[in-house]
């Protein structure tokens, strides 16, 4: 039998009966269906039955010599989609937190000896980020000397997602990150947000490319991480120019404050005139 699990292949057989492939994903998404594959070669002998078990409790049986050919048994956490299940595969939907467990396929050929081969693997149910992760707050253009600030959020995961930032494919040091308290919703599901405040120092950026690649990943349990990424353009301006730009911004803010103060003074003057005259 050739078993595919964790990228390893194992061989075993029983007489002329061979399981050629067993596919049970190590990680299954709570929001999706999952199909378990058990493929075999009977060596020319008639198939007697294919049985599936979760934690040693039978939940599906295919017996071609019986009517009906398929039977489904109640097992906690197992919901079989019979329309998509057959001798060589069984589809589970919907999944629940109780769908975690050890899944076993048992194949037997016909009388008189009923030779049987059995193989199993573990499956864990997790919830990948719902539409994400997502990077928020990035601008398309930055000047050297500014801070690149953004948040990366992985929503509605189970268990809590591990969020990581990368700049030009290098993981960002923790002291440049801001960690927020995860939000918990019914389920439970978790929203994880990790902030980035990266100083665009001359010695830290490659001005020959004038581009910076920004990526965040969200990893749930041991499954392959999901990612979101973007690129921002960089410009090199003299320190004096950058200071002038900041001065203009500050001056604009100050002018707005002064205008507000003037309006308040005018309103106050009108009020006192009306009251005392």
């Amino acid at each position: 039998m050739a078993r595919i699990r964790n990228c390893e292949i194992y061989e075993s057989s029983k007489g002329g009966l061979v399981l050629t492939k067993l596919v049970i994903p190590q990680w299954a998404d709570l929001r999706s269906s999952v199909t378990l594959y058990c493929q075999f070669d009977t060596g020319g002998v008639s198939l007697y039955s294919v049985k599936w078990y979760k934690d040693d409790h039978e939940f599906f049986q295919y017996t071609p010599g019986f009517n009906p050919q398929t039977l489904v048994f109640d097992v906690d956490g197992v919901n079989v989609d019979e329309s998509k299940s057959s001798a060589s595969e069984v589809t589970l939907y919907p999944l629940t937190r109780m769908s975690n467990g050890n899944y076993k396929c048992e194949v037997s050929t016909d009388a008189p000896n009923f030779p049987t081969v059995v193989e199993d693997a573990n499956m864990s149910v997790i919830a990948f980020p719902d539409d994400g992760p997502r990077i928020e707050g990035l601008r398309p253009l930055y000047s050297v000397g500014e801070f690149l600030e953004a948040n990366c959020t992985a929503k509605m995961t189970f268990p809590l997602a591990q969020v990581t930032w990368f700049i030009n494919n290098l993981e960002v040091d923790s002291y440049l990150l801001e960690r927020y308290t995860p939000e918990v919703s019914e389920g439970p599901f978790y929203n994880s947000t990790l902030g980035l405040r990266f100083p665009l120092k001359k010695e830290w950026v490659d001005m020959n490319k004038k581009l910076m690649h920004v990526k965040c990943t969200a990893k749930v349990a041991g499954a392959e991480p999901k990612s979101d990424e973007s690129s921002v353009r960089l410009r090199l301006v003299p320190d004096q120019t950058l200071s002038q730009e900041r001065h203009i911004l500050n001056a604009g803010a100050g002018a707005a404050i002064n205008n507000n103060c003037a309006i308040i003074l005018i309103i106050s003057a009108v009020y006192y005139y009306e009251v005392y005259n």
Side-chain angles (χ1 to χ4, degrees), residues 10 51 53 56 94 147 151 172 189-190 219 242 273:
Y10 303 81
K51 298 180 180 180
Y53 301 82
D56 291 326
F147 280 89
N151 286 334
V172 177
F189 292 100
Y190 300 93
K219 186 174 184 179
L242 192 59
Y273 178 81

Side-chain angles (χ1 to χ4, degrees), residues 134-142 147-152 165-167 196 198 200 212-216 228-233:
R134 285 289 175 261
I135 296 175
E136 299 175 328
L138 278 185
R139 304 198 318 259
L141 177 64
Y142 289 86
F147 280 89
L148 188 154
E149 296 179 307
N151 286 334
C152 179
W165 278 103
F166 295 86
I167 297 289
L196 171 67
F198 189 86
L200 297 172
M212 179 171 284
H213 185 247
V214 182
K215 181 174 76 171
C216 83
D228 188 21
E229 52 194 286
S230 182
S231 292
V232 299
R233 292 184 294 117

Side-chain angles (χ1 to χ4, degrees), residues 242-258:
L242 192 59
S243 298
Q244 289 173 350
E245 290 178 354
R246 290 172 178 166
H247 175 73
I248 292 171
L249 290 173
N250 292 333
I257 293 173
N258 291 334

Side-chain angles (χ1 to χ4, degrees), residues 14 51 83 98 106 142 149 151 214 234 262 264 267:
K14 187 69 174 289
K51 298 180 180 180
S83 67
M98 296 184 67
E106 176 186 284
Y142 289 86
E149 296 179 307
N151 286 334
V214 182
L234 301 173
I264 292 172
I267 293 172

